[in-house]
Amino acid sequence: MYDIIGDIHGYAQALEKMLVKLGYELTGKGYVHPTRKAVFVGDFVDRGPEIIRSLEIVKQMVDNGAAYAIVGNHEYNVICYYTKDKEGNPLRERNLKNRTQIKRTQEEFNGNKEQKKKYLKWLRNLPVYLELDGLRVVHACWDSDAVELLKKTNPENRLSKKFLRRIVREEGADYHALMLLMKGREFNLPDDMVIKDSYGFRRSSFRIKWWAPMDGASFQNLAFGNKFKLPAYTIPKEMCYPIPPYDEKELPVFFGHYCLNGQAGVVKNNLCCVDACVANGGRLAAYRWDGEKVLDAAKMVFELEK
């Protein structure tokens, strides 16, 4: 069966410790398990001290059939930063905010251009989402309508240069579908509410539970995976919009993205966030899945026990 492993963000040593803890052995073909496969939920790059080493471990496992991997929003940011449009302009503007977000990745890539070329090409060819036997994997949010749209507009399920050059500038329906899967649902803040993120940049929105109804919820209860406090008062009804529910009869979904620290794990019977925030004082997390439809919090595994 599968071991779904959360956001790595360049923490290669933590990844190797996790793989050993899960029973994977280092061979000439990388880490392998005799009966299981690893599934990586994206965000291999940025923040940590060993980004290229992290990419090397994951790529070798995927190439040799020991793992699956999808891309996260941090891979999207890096890919677009280095991908140019037909006029030779980068798809992601090289401003202070965007440079800050990929600083560690850029530093490692600048020191090894051949590695940069190899791993950018590999990342472009990873899937955006996975539908395996009995489970689904996405970086931030599973939305059936978004997935179905992308199956039509991006049947290869990859961040190819052709696809990105078409959607990034237009910001049409398929762009927003991609952003929903990779960044999740967000709620726009009222104009008079000022919040700054961990980089010190002002945020005009906050991450929310993509499976929970908004009507009647408070800002605090609806929020999910934010590094700032939100008020406990009820969201005004006129600001609410419908969120498609994810029924408990649907296949289990595993995702990362939300940097939950001690709250990582099963958030609903068929939903599990495996991002325990290794890059921000947390630890690497994984879920050992053996085919169950109702997820079990006891099957979470952490690289460091607390």
Side-chain angles (χ1 to χ4, degrees), residues 31 41 90 95 111 126 160 167 230 299:
Y31 284 92
V41 301
N95 56 31
L126 288 181
S160 67
I167 70 162
L230 287 152
K299 300 190 76 173

Side-chain angles (χ1 to χ4, degrees), residues 275-286:
D275 183 9
C277 216
V278 68
N280 286 282
R283 48 194 175 154
L284 196 61

Side-chain angles (χ1 to χ4, degrees), residues 15-285:
L15 172 58
E16 292 187 279
K17 289 177 182 177
M18 171 63 84
L19 290 169
V20 170
K21 190 169 187 176
L22 292 171
Y24 292 75
E25 295 184 0
L26 183 59
T27 70
K29 294 184 177 181
Y31 284 92
V32 298
H33 194 286
T35 60
R36 304 180 70 85
K37 280 190 178 184
V39 183
F40 297 99
V41 301
D43 278 8
F44 318 115
V45 300
D46 297 342
R47 297 177 179 167
E50 295 181 289
I51 291 160
I52 288 178
R53 174 60 182 152
S54 299
L55 291 168
E56 179 184 30
I57 294 168
V58 177
K59 182 179 185 299
Q60 191 174 35
M61 291 182 70
V62 172
D63 290 350
N64 290 303
Y68 294 105
I70 62 172
V71 284
N73 62 303
H74 281 261
E75 281 76 49
Y76 170 85
N77 291 343
V78 169
I79 289 169
C80 288
Y81 190 89
Y82 287 107
T83 302
K84 295 180 179 179
D85 61 22
K86 293 181 180 180
E87 286 71 43
N89 301 309
L91 293 178
R92 188 165 175 82
E93 186 180 350
R94 296 183 177 179
N95 56 31
L96 176 61
K97 179 182 178 181
N98 294 341
R99 290 199 308 272
T100 301
Q101 287 178 339
I102 73 159
K103 182 176 183 292
R104 284 290 301 117
T105 304
Q106 188 177 31
E107 288 172 351
E108 287 203 36
F109 278 176
N110 286 348
N112 197 326
K113 293 185 178 180
E114 286 301 312
Q115 294 283 63
K116 178 181 78 171
K117 182 179 179 181
K118 177 175 77 172
Y119 287 116
L120 285 175
K121 181 179 180 180
W122 179 68
L123 290 172
R124 288 190 187 100
N125 282 285
L126 288 181
V128 175
Y129 57 87
L130 286 171
E131 295 179 283
L132 302 173
D133 291 337
L135 77 158
R136 293 163 172 164
V137 183
V138 70
H139 183 65
C141 166
W142 188 271
D143 182 272
S144 297
D145 289 341
V147 170
E148 290 305 312
L149 175 61
L150 289 173
K151 283 181 179 179
K152 296 176 182 177
T153 63
N154 184 28
E156 294 181 348
N157 191 18
R158 305 287 188 270
L159 297 182
S160 67
K161 290 181 180 180
K162 181 180 179 181
F163 175 65
L164 291 174
R165 284 169 178 161
R166 179 175 64 79
I167 70 162
V168 171
R169 298 284 188 242
E170 295 177 359
E171 293 194 3
D174 40 10
Y175 169 84
H176 290 292
L178 179 66
M179 292 300 99
L180 181 57
L181 300 189
M182 302 189 82
K183 295 186 177 182
R185 296 191 186 280
E186 296 194 350
F187 186 87
N188 291 329
L189 293 164
D191 292 338
D192 59 351
M193 188 179 291
V194 178
I195 292 175
K196 292 186 178 181
D197 64 17
S198 57
Y199 294 105
F201 295 108
R202 178 172 177 168
R203 294 296 300 265
S204 59
S205 61
F206 65 96
R207 296 172 177 177
I208 65 174
K209 296 170 182 172
W210 51 266
W211 61 89
M214 184 181 297
D215 193 17
S218 69
F219 284 96
Q220 192 176 87
N221 290 338
L222 185 66
F224 188 70
N226 299 284
K227 297 305 175 188
F228 41 78
K229 286 188 176 182
L230 287 152
Y233 58 79
T234 302
I235 300 170
K237 193 167 184 176
E238 59 269 22
M239 296 181 67
C240 296
Y241 59 87
I243 295 177
Y246 193 78
D247 195 279
E248 293 198 2
K249 294 180 181 178
E250 295 278 1
L251 296 178
V253 176
F254 293 91
F255 56 99
H257 186 61
Y258 292 95
C259 201
L260 295 185
N261 289 87
Q263 302 301 312
V266 178
V267 296
K268 194 177 175 181
N269 282 345
N270 58 345
L271 300 177
C272 180
C273 179
V274 289
D275 183 9
C277 216
V278 68
N280 286 282
R283 48 194 175 154
L284 196 61

